[in-house]
Short mmCIF file of all heavy atoms in Angstrom, two decimals:
data_model
loop_
_atom_site.label_atom_id
_atom_site.label_comp_id
_atom_site.label_asym_id
_atom_site.label_seq_id
_atom_site.Cartn_x
_atom_site.Cartn_y
_atom_site.Cartn_z
N HIS A 1 -0.05 1.01 12.64
CA HIS A 1 -1.47 1.14 12.34
C HIS A 1 -1.77 2.43 11.57
O HIS A 1 -2.84 2.57 10.99
CB HIS A 1 -2.30 1.08 13.62
CG HIS A 1 -1.92 2.09 14.66
ND1 HIS A 1 -0.76 1.98 15.39
CD2 HIS A 1 -2.53 3.23 15.07
CE1 HIS A 1 -0.68 3.01 16.22
NE2 HIS A 1 -1.72 3.77 16.04
N GLY A 2 -0.80 3.37 11.53
CA GLY A 2 -0.99 4.59 10.74
C GLY A 2 -0.50 4.46 9.32
O GLY A 2 -0.22 5.47 8.66
N CYS A 3 -0.42 3.24 8.81
CA CYS A 3 0.24 2.96 7.53
C CYS A 3 -0.45 3.56 6.32
O CYS A 3 0.16 3.69 5.26
CB CYS A 3 0.39 1.46 7.33
SG CYS A 3 -1.19 0.57 7.30
N LEU A 4 -1.72 3.96 6.43
CA LEU A 4 -2.40 4.52 5.28
C LEU A 4 -1.66 5.73 4.72
O LEU A 4 -1.60 5.93 3.51
CB LEU A 4 -3.84 4.91 5.64
CG LEU A 4 -4.85 3.76 5.73
CD1 LEU A 4 -6.17 4.25 6.30
CD2 LEU A 4 -5.08 3.12 4.36
N GLY A 5 -1.09 6.54 5.60
CA GLY A 5 -0.32 7.70 5.15
C GLY A 5 0.94 7.30 4.40
O GLY A 5 1.27 7.87 3.35
N GLN A 6 1.65 6.32 4.94
CA GLN A 6 2.87 5.86 4.28
C GLN A 6 2.55 5.20 2.94
O GLN A 6 3.23 5.45 1.94
CB GLN A 6 3.61 4.87 5.19
CG GLN A 6 5.01 4.54 4.71
CD GLN A 6 5.76 3.65 5.68
OE1 GLN A 6 5.15 2.82 6.36
NE2 GLN A 6 7.07 3.81 5.75
N TYR A 7 1.50 4.40 2.89
CA TYR A 7 1.11 3.77 1.63
C TYR A 7 0.78 4.82 0.56
O TYR A 7 1.19 4.70 -0.61
CB TYR A 7 -0.12 2.88 1.84
CG TYR A 7 0.10 1.61 2.62
CD1 TYR A 7 -0.97 0.95 3.20
CD2 TYR A 7 1.37 1.05 2.76
CE1 TYR A 7 -0.81 -0.23 3.90
CE2 TYR A 7 1.55 -0.13 3.48
CZ TYR A 7 0.46 -0.76 4.05
OH TYR A 7 0.63 -1.93 4.75
N ALA A 8 0.01 5.83 0.94
CA ALA A 8 -0.39 6.85 -0.03
C ALA A 8 0.82 7.58 -0.60
O ALA A 8 0.87 7.88 -1.80
CB ALA A 8 -1.35 7.84 0.63
N ILE A 9 1.80 7.85 0.26
CA ILE A 9 3.01 8.54 -0.21
C ILE A 9 3.85 7.63 -1.09
O ILE A 9 4.34 8.05 -2.15
CB ILE A 9 3.83 9.04 1.00
CG1 ILE A 9 3.10 10.21 1.66
CG2 ILE A 9 5.24 9.45 0.57
CD1 ILE A 9 3.73 10.68 2.96
N LEU A 10 4.02 6.38 -0.71
CA LEU A 10 4.81 5.45 -1.53
C LEU A 10 4.19 5.27 -2.91
O LEU A 10 4.89 5.18 -3.92
CB LEU A 10 4.95 4.11 -0.81
CG LEU A 10 5.82 4.11 0.44
CD1 LEU A 10 5.75 2.74 1.14
CD2 LEU A 10 7.27 4.46 0.11
N ALA A 11 2.85 5.23 -2.96
CA ALA A 11 2.18 5.13 -4.26
C ALA A 11 2.42 6.40 -5.07
O ALA A 11 2.68 6.34 -6.29
CB ALA A 11 0.69 4.89 -4.07
N ASP A 12 2.34 7.54 -4.42
CA ASP A 12 2.55 8.82 -5.10
C ASP A 12 3.97 8.93 -5.65
O ASP A 12 4.20 9.57 -6.68
CB ASP A 12 2.25 9.97 -4.15
CG ASP A 12 2.21 11.32 -4.83
OD1 ASP A 12 1.41 11.49 -5.76
OD2 ASP A 12 3.02 12.21 -4.46
N LEU A 13 4.92 8.31 -4.97
CA LEU A 13 6.32 8.34 -5.40
C LEU A 13 6.67 7.18 -6.34
O LEU A 13 7.84 6.95 -6.63
CB LEU A 13 7.24 8.32 -4.17
CG LEU A 13 7.22 9.59 -3.30
CD1 LEU A 13 8.04 9.37 -2.03
CD2 LEU A 13 7.75 10.79 -4.08
N ASN A 14 5.66 6.43 -6.75
CA ASN A 14 5.83 5.35 -7.75
C ASN A 14 6.61 4.14 -7.23
O ASN A 14 7.24 3.44 -8.02
CB ASN A 14 6.51 5.90 -9.01
CG ASN A 14 5.68 6.97 -9.69
OD1 ASN A 14 4.47 6.81 -9.88
ND2 ASN A 14 6.33 8.08 -10.05
N PHE A 15 6.51 3.88 -5.94
CA PHE A 15 7.05 2.62 -5.44
C PHE A 15 6.17 1.45 -5.86
O PHE A 15 6.64 0.33 -6.02
CB PHE A 15 7.16 2.66 -3.91
CG PHE A 15 8.38 3.37 -3.40
CD1 PHE A 15 8.37 4.75 -3.22
CD2 PHE A 15 9.55 2.68 -3.12
CE1 PHE A 15 9.50 5.42 -2.76
CE2 PHE A 15 10.68 3.34 -2.66
CZ PHE A 15 10.66 4.72 -2.47
N PHE A 16 4.89 1.71 -6.05
CA PHE A 16 3.96 0.71 -6.58
C PHE A 16 2.80 1.47 -7.23
O PHE A 16 2.61 2.67 -6.96
CB PHE A 16 3.48 -0.26 -5.50
CG PHE A 16 2.93 0.39 -4.26
CD1 PHE A 16 1.63 0.89 -4.23
CD2 PHE A 16 3.71 0.50 -3.11
CE1 PHE A 16 1.12 1.49 -3.09
CE2 PHE A 16 3.21 1.11 -1.97
CZ PHE A 16 1.91 1.59 -1.95
N PRO A 17 2.02 0.83 -8.09
CA PRO A 17 0.93 1.53 -8.78
C PRO A 17 -0.11 2.08 -7.81
O PRO A 17 -0.46 1.43 -6.82
CB PRO A 17 0.32 0.44 -9.67
CG PRO A 17 1.40 -0.58 -9.83
CD PRO A 17 2.17 -0.57 -8.54
N LYS A 18 -0.60 3.26 -8.10
CA LYS A 18 -1.57 3.91 -7.21
C LYS A 18 -2.86 3.09 -7.10
O LYS A 18 -3.56 3.16 -6.08
CB LYS A 18 -1.87 5.32 -7.72
CG LYS A 18 -2.46 6.23 -6.66
CD LYS A 18 -2.38 7.69 -7.06
CE LYS A 18 -2.83 8.58 -5.92
NZ LYS A 18 -2.67 10.03 -6.23
N GLU A 19 -3.18 2.32 -8.12
CA GLU A 19 -4.39 1.49 -8.08
C GLU A 19 -4.35 0.49 -6.93
O GLU A 19 -5.38 0.01 -6.46
CB GLU A 19 -4.56 0.73 -9.40
CG GLU A 19 -4.83 1.60 -10.61
CD GLU A 19 -3.61 2.36 -11.12
OE1 GLU A 19 -2.47 1.88 -10.85
OE2 GLU A 19 -3.77 3.41 -11.76
N GLU A 20 -3.13 0.19 -6.47
CA GLU A 20 -2.99 -0.77 -5.37
C GLU A 20 -3.66 -0.26 -4.09
O GLU A 20 -4.09 -1.05 -3.25
CB GLU A 20 -1.50 -1.03 -5.12
CG GLU A 20 -1.19 -2.26 -4.28
CD GLU A 20 -1.62 -3.55 -4.93
OE1 GLU A 20 -1.32 -3.74 -6.13
OE2 GLU A 20 -2.25 -4.38 -4.25
N LEU A 21 -3.75 1.07 -3.94
CA LEU A 21 -4.40 1.63 -2.75
C LEU A 21 -5.84 1.16 -2.62
O LEU A 21 -6.34 0.94 -1.52
CB LEU A 21 -4.35 3.16 -2.79
CG LEU A 21 -2.98 3.83 -2.70
CD1 LEU A 21 -3.11 5.33 -2.88
CD2 LEU A 21 -2.30 3.51 -1.36
N LEU A 22 -6.52 1.00 -3.75
CA LEU A 22 -7.93 0.60 -3.72
C LEU A 22 -8.10 -0.88 -3.43
O LEU A 22 -9.24 -1.36 -3.31
CB LEU A 22 -8.60 0.98 -5.04
CG LEU A 22 -8.57 2.48 -5.38
CD1 LEU A 22 -9.28 2.75 -6.69
CD2 LEU A 22 -9.19 3.30 -4.25
N ARG A 23 -6.99 -1.61 -3.31
CA ARG A 23 -7.05 -3.02 -2.91
C ARG A 23 -6.53 -3.19 -1.47
O ARG A 23 -6.20 -4.30 -1.06
CB ARG A 23 -6.24 -3.87 -3.88
CG ARG A 23 -6.83 -3.94 -5.27
CD ARG A 23 -6.14 -4.98 -6.14
NE ARG A 23 -4.84 -4.53 -6.61
CZ ARG A 23 -4.65 -3.84 -7.74
NH1 ARG A 23 -5.69 -3.54 -8.50
NH2 ARG A 23 -3.45 -3.45 -8.10
N PHE A 24 -6.48 -2.09 -0.72
CA PHE A 24 -6.04 -2.12 0.67
C PHE A 24 -6.85 -3.15 1.47
O PHE A 24 -8.08 -3.19 1.42
CB PHE A 24 -6.21 -0.73 1.28
CG PHE A 24 -5.96 -0.64 2.75
CD1 PHE A 24 -4.70 -0.88 3.28
CD2 PHE A 24 -6.98 -0.28 3.63
CE1 PHE A 24 -4.47 -0.78 4.64
CE2 PHE A 24 -6.76 -0.17 4.98
CZ PHE A 24 -5.49 -0.43 5.49
N CYS A 25 -6.13 -4.02 2.15
CA CYS A 25 -6.73 -5.05 3.01
C CYS A 25 -7.63 -6.03 2.25
O CYS A 25 -8.56 -6.60 2.82
CB CYS A 25 -7.50 -4.41 4.17
SG CYS A 25 -6.45 -3.85 5.52
N SER A 26 -7.35 -6.23 0.97
CA SER A 26 -8.09 -7.23 0.21
C SER A 26 -7.16 -8.40 -0.12
O SER A 26 -5.93 -8.26 -0.11
CB SER A 26 -8.64 -6.64 -1.09
OG SER A 26 -7.60 -6.43 -2.02
N LYS A 27 -7.73 -9.54 -0.45
CA LYS A 27 -6.92 -10.71 -0.79
C LYS A 27 -6.15 -10.50 -2.07
O LYS A 27 -5.10 -11.11 -2.28
CB LYS A 27 -7.83 -11.93 -0.92
CG LYS A 27 -8.48 -12.37 0.39
CD LYS A 27 -9.36 -13.59 0.18
CE LYS A 27 -10.01 -14.02 1.49
NZ LYS A 27 -10.91 -15.19 1.29
N GLU A 28 -6.64 -9.63 -2.93
CA GLU A 28 -5.99 -9.41 -4.22
C GLU A 28 -4.83 -8.41 -4.12
O GLU A 28 -4.01 -8.31 -5.03
CB GLU A 28 -7.01 -8.87 -5.24
CG GLU A 28 -8.14 -9.81 -5.58
CD GLU A 28 -9.20 -9.85 -4.48
OE1 GLU A 28 -9.30 -8.87 -3.71
OE2 GLU A 28 -9.91 -10.88 -4.39
N GLY A 29 -4.74 -7.67 -3.03
CA GLY A 29 -3.74 -6.61 -2.92
C GLY A 29 -2.54 -7.00 -2.07
O GLY A 29 -2.49 -8.07 -1.47
N ILE A 30 -1.56 -6.09 -2.03
CA ILE A 30 -0.34 -6.33 -1.24
C ILE A 30 -0.30 -5.48 0.03
O ILE A 30 0.60 -5.66 0.85
CB ILE A 30 0.92 -6.01 -2.08
CG1 ILE A 30 0.94 -4.53 -2.50
CG2 ILE A 30 1.01 -6.93 -3.29
CD1 ILE A 30 2.25 -4.09 -3.15
N LEU A 31 -1.29 -4.59 0.19
CA LEU A 31 -1.26 -3.65 1.31
C LEU A 31 -2.13 -4.15 2.46
O LEU A 31 -3.36 -4.20 2.36
CB LEU A 31 -1.75 -2.27 0.86
CG LEU A 31 -1.02 -1.66 -0.34
CD1 LEU A 31 -1.65 -0.31 -0.70
CD2 LEU A 31 0.47 -1.48 -0.03
N GLY A 32 -1.48 -4.52 3.55
CA GLY A 32 -2.21 -4.98 4.72
C GLY A 32 -2.48 -3.86 5.71
O GLY A 32 -2.10 -2.71 5.51
N GLY A 33 -3.15 -4.21 6.79
CA GLY A 33 -3.51 -3.23 7.81
C GLY A 33 -2.34 -2.70 8.61
O GLY A 33 -2.48 -1.71 9.33
N HIS A 34 -1.18 -3.35 8.49
CA HIS A 34 0.07 -2.86 9.06
C HIS A 34 1.16 -3.03 7.99
O HIS A 34 1.05 -3.89 7.11
CB HIS A 34 0.47 -3.63 10.33
CG HIS A 34 -0.44 -3.34 11.49
ND1 HIS A 34 -1.62 -4.00 11.67
CD2 HIS A 34 -0.32 -2.47 12.53
CE1 HIS A 34 -2.21 -3.54 12.77
NE2 HIS A 34 -1.44 -2.61 13.31
N PRO A 35 2.21 -2.21 8.04
CA PRO A 35 3.25 -2.30 7.01
C PRO A 35 3.91 -3.67 6.95
O PRO A 35 4.20 -4.27 7.98
CB PRO A 35 4.26 -1.23 7.43
CG PRO A 35 3.49 -0.28 8.30
CD PRO A 35 2.49 -1.15 9.01
N SER A 36 4.13 -4.14 5.74
CA SER A 36 4.79 -5.43 5.53
C SER A 36 6.00 -5.24 4.62
O SER A 36 5.95 -4.48 3.66
CB SER A 36 3.82 -6.43 4.89
OG SER A 36 4.51 -7.59 4.46
N ARG A 37 7.05 -5.97 4.92
CA ARG A 37 8.30 -5.88 4.16
C ARG A 37 8.10 -6.25 2.69
O ARG A 37 8.90 -5.85 1.83
CB ARG A 37 9.34 -6.80 4.80
CG ARG A 37 10.71 -6.78 4.16
CD ARG A 37 11.41 -5.45 4.34
NE ARG A 37 12.73 -5.42 3.75
CZ ARG A 37 12.99 -5.22 2.47
NH1 ARG A 37 11.99 -5.01 1.62
NH2 ARG A 37 14.23 -5.19 2.01
N LYS A 38 7.03 -6.96 2.36
CA LYS A 38 6.80 -7.35 0.97
C LYS A 38 6.36 -6.17 0.10
O LYS A 38 6.36 -6.26 -1.12
CB LYS A 38 5.75 -8.45 0.89
CG LYS A 38 4.34 -8.01 1.26
CD LYS A 38 3.36 -9.17 1.21
CE LYS A 38 1.94 -8.72 1.59
NZ LYS A 38 0.99 -9.84 1.57
N VAL A 39 5.97 -5.06 0.74
CA VAL A 39 5.51 -3.87 0.01
C VAL A 39 6.73 -3.04 -0.40
O VAL A 39 7.55 -2.68 0.45
CB VAL A 39 4.56 -3.03 0.87
CG1 VAL A 39 4.14 -1.75 0.13
CG2 VAL A 39 3.34 -3.84 1.28
#
């Protein structure tokens, strides 16, 4: 449930585009409320 920190770091390290953070928990994004192996 603390995944927001991990997501922000992974985006900063270019694992995925930083714009993806703004689609957190949306149908259009890949970032769910808990970490998923698809990320």
